[in-house]
Amino acid sequence: MVRLKNRYIVIEVNPRDQNETDTLHPFKLSQTALNQTVQGKVDQLHGDFGAAAILAGFSAKYVNPYTRIGIIRCRSGPHKLITSTIPFITQVDSCQVSVNILYVGATIKKCFNFVKLHQQRKSDEYCIKLESDEAKKSLKEALMNFGSM
Amino acid sequence: MSNYYYLDIKLILANPEEVTPAFYKKNILEAVKQLFGETGASIPIDILKFNSETLEAILRVPKSHYIKIRSSLVLSGKYEGIRCIYSIQKSTPLLLALQGDSRNYNH
């Protein structure tokens, strides 16, 4: 039997005009826009061949607007075309952005562990700036929301 | 052996018209860009010889990208809106091997 291998790419979408540590303003993105942007950019940089290579098993999800984390699932092999393209993404849905690759994993569980650790670290970072316990609690809840994952 | 591959190609147009070397190269680059995108278009391709009457040319491409170039030439189907095909007459890593070509030999 042949096994289908997937790769999960954890990305961070930072808007250009907003301060990176400004978590009080969530950065909303539609999932379809992210999906189309990645596919369009792969088509631009790797042509028809690249667009066709990544098409099977491709899906991009924007998970958390507070930590700006998104997850892209694709087949192992063509994921190299995607990881080489992601740094060139500058615009999603008429928003100027810069996209960082945080992690590339083979299982969603490993990605989940990474994202959890990453969000925990971020929430600790942000909590230092906040005064009241109420605000801290609500921020933590917002950051650790993996509902759509 | 050699870092390059040499391709002896011929452009066959549905409606023959005059083709300049610049347009010839542009069409090749467009074919590569269509199939392999901007990364493909960055491959250095050289036209060493060009015959404007028969539309034959000798291309020099890096060995590492030979397959990409050749496949995009095969899949190219348009020249400035006219239907066309590229006939690859001979390909070799040695330029000298293009000298003796039995395919075009007239007895």
Side-chain angles (χ1 to χ4, degrees):
Chain A
M1 276 295 283
V2 181
R3 192 161 62 93
L4 279 181
K5 287 187 187 175
N6 285 324
R7 286 291 178 271
Y8 298 89
I9 304 162
V10 181
I11 54 167
E12 184 186 40
V13 186
N14 290 318
R16 280 275 166 80
D17 49 345
Q18 257 181 51
N19 190 354
E20 212 173 287
T21 52
D22 186 8
T23 45
L24 300 173
H25 302 99
F27 178 59
K28 287 236 187 296
L29 263 187
S30 79
Q31 251 170 52
T32 46
L34 188 68
N35 213 315
Q36 278 172 358
T37 311
V38 176
Q39 279 188 339
K41 207 71 183 172
V42 171
D43 187 40
Q44 187 197 337
L45 289 178
H46 295 288
D48 290 350
F49 168 80
I54 65 155
L55 204 64
F58 177 84
S59 81
K61 279 185 175 174
Y62 190 58
V63 178
N64 194 317
Y66 290 92
T67 42
R68 294 124 190 203
I69 283 201
I71 289 183
I72 296 169
R73 190 191 67 191
C74 55
R75 290 273 163 83
S76 170
H79 75 281
K80 286 187 179 171
L81 299 176
I82 297 175
T83 48
S84 65
T85 308
I86 284 171
F88 292 102
I89 294 173
T90 52
Q91 201 173 30
V92 180
D93 216 6
S94 74
C95 284
Q96 293 287 322
V97 295
S98 67
V99 183
N100 297 329
I101 300 174
L102 298 177
Y103 184 75
V104 181
T107 59
I108 198 130
K109 193 180 173 189
K110 282 273 177 193
C111 281
F112 180 75
N113 287 343
F114 172 82
V115 172
K116 213 165 129 188
L117 203 73
H118 177 78
Q119 318 248 78
Q120 256 163 9
R121 243 181 246 152
K122 281 244 160 161
S123 72
D124 290 344
E125 218 173 275
Y126 298 143
C127 278
I128 298 168
K129 291 169 206 157
L130 293 173
E131 299 286 307
S132 70
D133 283 348
E134 285 266 304
K136 278 182 191 175
K137 205 181 166 196
S138 65
L139 178 75
K140 253 188 188 158
E141 259 172 29
L143 286 179
M144 302 304 275
N145 177 21
F146 305 115
S148 54
M149 199 161 158
Chain B
M1 197 158 49
S2 163
N3 290 326
Y4 293 104
Y5 247 85
Y6 300 90
L7 291 149
D8 185 358
I9 60 170
K10 183 178 184 176
L11 176 66
I12 302 167
L13 295 168
N15 310 313
E17 64 168 56
E18 201 183 329
V19 178
T20 63
F23 270 94
Y24 201 87
K25 184 167 181 185
K26 172 182 165 275
N27 200 47
I28 293 167
L29 282 176
E30 258 177 14
V32 182
K33 194 175 176 182
Q34 173 70 30
L35 190 60
F36 291 104
E38 285 173 15
T39 49
S42 65
I43 301 167
I45 303 169
D46 301 308
I47 294 179
L48 301 183
K49 280 267 182 192
F50 178 67
N51 185 338
S52 58
E53 280 165 21
T54 56
L55 300 182
E56 285 175 321
I58 294 174
L59 292 187
R60 184 178 69 173
V61 299
K63 199 178 186 178
S64 50
H65 295 96
Y66 161 65
I67 293 173
K68 281 191 176 181
I69 306 291
R70 187 167 177 158
S71 54
S72 15
L73 285 175
V74 166
L75 291 169
S76 162
K78 275 273 182 334
Y79 170 82
E80 302 291 312
I82 308 167
R83 282 188 300 132
C84 78
I85 50 166
Y86 282 99
S87 155
I88 298 162
Q89 289 168 336
K90 201 163 187 175
S91 67
T92 165
L94 283 170
L95 188 55
L96 195 64
L98 293 176
Q99 184 71 31
D101 189 354
S102 60
R103 286 187 183 220
N104 302 325
Y105 187 75
N106 292 319
H107 285 282

